[in-house]
Amino acid sequence: MKKIISMILALAMVLALAGCAGTTVVVNNYNYYGTDSSEATEAPATTPIETEPVAAEGAVRTGLAIVTGLDTVDATAEEEGSADFAITLAGILVDENDVILDCSIDAIGHKFTFDTTGALTSDITADVLTKNELGDNYNMKTYGGAIAEWYEQVDAFEAYCIGKTIDEIQNGALTESGYAADADLATSATINLFDYVSALVTAHSNAQVLGAEAGDKLVLSCTTSQGDAAQGNAQLNVDAVALTVNEEGVITSCQIDALQGKATIDENGAVTGTNVDTKNTLGFDYGMVAWAGATYEWFEQAANFASYITGKTAAEVDGIAMTEATAPADADLATSVTISIYGFKSLIAKALG
């Protein structure tokens, strides 16, 4: 029933947004709630939320989510076209009773523009930074009059979630309009939180027993790049990881996913196709086995690499040998991971750097 209700909410949001002329809304998960377009509202001074360590019951699960929204507008003689990505990332640790032991949230907003020939006019060489990476430079306080920056408000929401069940967060943390229902939280987080609840719910649905224990530190990180304009695509690439480390700096669990978010643009500046599904979501439909003759599909190879590095430190992961083609040189790893691991190693190095 909860899934059906979430699907209805998501469909209503999609239909409402799709009513805008020339705009297509694509969402890769039924739990998607909307956008955080209203990011600053007046509120009293912030109140820090104190959290205590939570004692886990039963096995601890680690989960990762990449939830993507995409708005597209075709180019016209009067106005450039656009492909506007809104990506929310979440990592979560929960026990067997679905109590949240730790969580981490980040987000990426990135807009491509293009003309009536289908050529991209935005700078595809520019770095794409997450909102946490932008930090104070996200400028919610400077230009939006917010009481706190985005990362500070999300930190407060994360602290609020710890010790609560995922059901309590999904069904009681927010008002109908998507803002904090709790009076104390509302003094610290005035932004719309729908997207972030959605991402946590999705991360929870993806959570698995991978070796983490209560007290381990959860780390969420990602690397980003833009696609090649010559291919006729506005493409945003995001590799993400949720991992845990113990006090000795040893990786105790790891989950990896990747997005090749894409809007395909024809020679007239019209968007003819989109993709917002992650590689894990695509599963066998990603086609490495069917079309490239691979032994394992991408999601299997990513999970195999994640399993291989569990029990290792950051230095040991950095020391994993690669061939000239950046595939694994280690014979044991090479039996289950045949793709390049350069990106995986870079992702782990960033997460634990």
Side-chain angles (χ1 to χ4, degrees):
M1 178 60 72
K2 293 174 185 174
K3 179 173 181 178
I4 293 173
I5 291 172
S6 296
M7 292 178 69
I8 292 171
L9 288 173
L11 180 59
M13 180 66 71
V14 169
L15 292 176
L17 291 172
C20 301
T23 301
T24 302
V25 178
V26 184
V27 181
N28 78 331
N29 189 277
Y30 74 85
N31 281 314
Y32 181 82
Y33 286 103
T35 62
D36 59 352
S37 58
S38 177
E39 294 216 305
T41 58
E42 294 298 324
T46 59
T47 301
I49 296 176
E50 301 291 337
T51 60
E52 296 292 335
V54 180
E57 294 191 21
V60 175
R61 288 169 290 152
T62 307
L64 169 68
I66 307 174
V67 180
T68 305
L70 171 60
D71 292 352
T72 65
V73 178
D74 294 345
T76 66
E78 293 75 28
E79 187 176 359
E80 287 186 320
S82 62
D84 197 355
F85 287 89
I87 299 171
T88 306
L89 310 170
I92 198 168
L93 280 185
V94 292
D95 69 10
E96 68 176 15
N97 293 322
D98 287 337
V99 174
I100 298 171
L101 307 176
D102 202 357
C103 63
S104 184
I105 298 168
D106 206 347
I108 302 168
H110 186 71
K111 185 175 184 177
F112 293 89
T113 57
F114 48 90
D115 61 24
T116 53
T117 70
L120 293 183
T121 56
S122 51
D123 182 6
I124 67 166
T125 66
D127 292 334
V128 179
L129 300 178
T130 72
K131 293 183 181 181
N132 279 337
E133 289 171 338
L134 286 168
D136 291 328
N137 291 326
Y138 190 58
N139 285 325
M140 280 182 54
K141 289 192 291 187
T142 301
Y143 298 110
I147 61 169
E149 272 303 338
W150 184 91
Y151 72 92
E152 296 170 313
Q153 299 201 35
V154 169
D155 282 350
F157 177 59
E158 292 169 355
Y160 170 82
C161 292
I162 295 173
K164 296 178 176 62
T165 67
I166 193 68
D167 184 72
E168 288 173 327
I169 298 302
Q170 185 176 18
N171 296 303
L174 307 183
T175 66
E176 290 184 359
S177 56
Y179 295 92
D182 179 84
D184 289 337
L185 177 60
T187 66
S188 302
T190 62
I191 57 177
N192 193 295
L193 298 169
F194 267 144
D195 285 356
Y196 314 130
V197 170
S198 170
L200 287 177
V201 171
T202 304
H204 168 262
S205 69
N206 293 336
Q208 302 174 45
V209 176
L210 300 171
E213 297 182 356
D216 289 347
K217 178 183 177 182
L218 174 69
V219 181
L220 174 70
S221 188
C222 73
T223 56
T224 61
S225 65
Q226 299 186 65
D228 187 351
Q231 297 177 344
N233 296 317
Q235 182 169 315
L236 181 60
N237 305 309
V238 180
D239 293 348
V241 63
L243 59 80
T244 55
V245 291
N246 62 20
E247 293 182 350
E248 289 73 41
V250 175
I251 297 169
T252 57
S253 69
C254 180
Q255 194 172 110
I256 297 171
D257 202 355
L259 170 73
Q260 290 179 324
K262 184 184 299 184
T264 302
I265 308 160
D266 69 14
E267 65 277 9
N268 298 311
V271 176
T272 58
T274 59
N275 175 63
V276 294
D277 287 327
T278 71
K279 293 182 182 181
N280 284 348
T281 300
L282 287 169
F284 288 104
D285 290 336
Y286 187 61
M288 282 183 54
V289 173
W291 303 108
T295 303
Y296 295 99
E297 196 48 78
W298 187 94
F299 76 93
E300 295 173 307
Q301 300 204 38
N304 291 338
F305 180 82
S307 177
Y308 180 81
I309 66 171
T310 299
K312 292 180 169 55
T313 63
E316 289 171 331
V317 174
D318 183 62
I320 297 173
M322 297 184 292
T323 67
E324 290 185 2
T326 68
D330 178 84
D332 290 336
L333 181 59
T335 61
S336 60
V337 179
T338 59
I339 58 178
S340 169
I341 60 170
Y342 178 82
F344 290 157
K345 290 182 61 177
S346 299
L347 182 62
I348 303 306
K350 182 178 179 181
L352 299 180

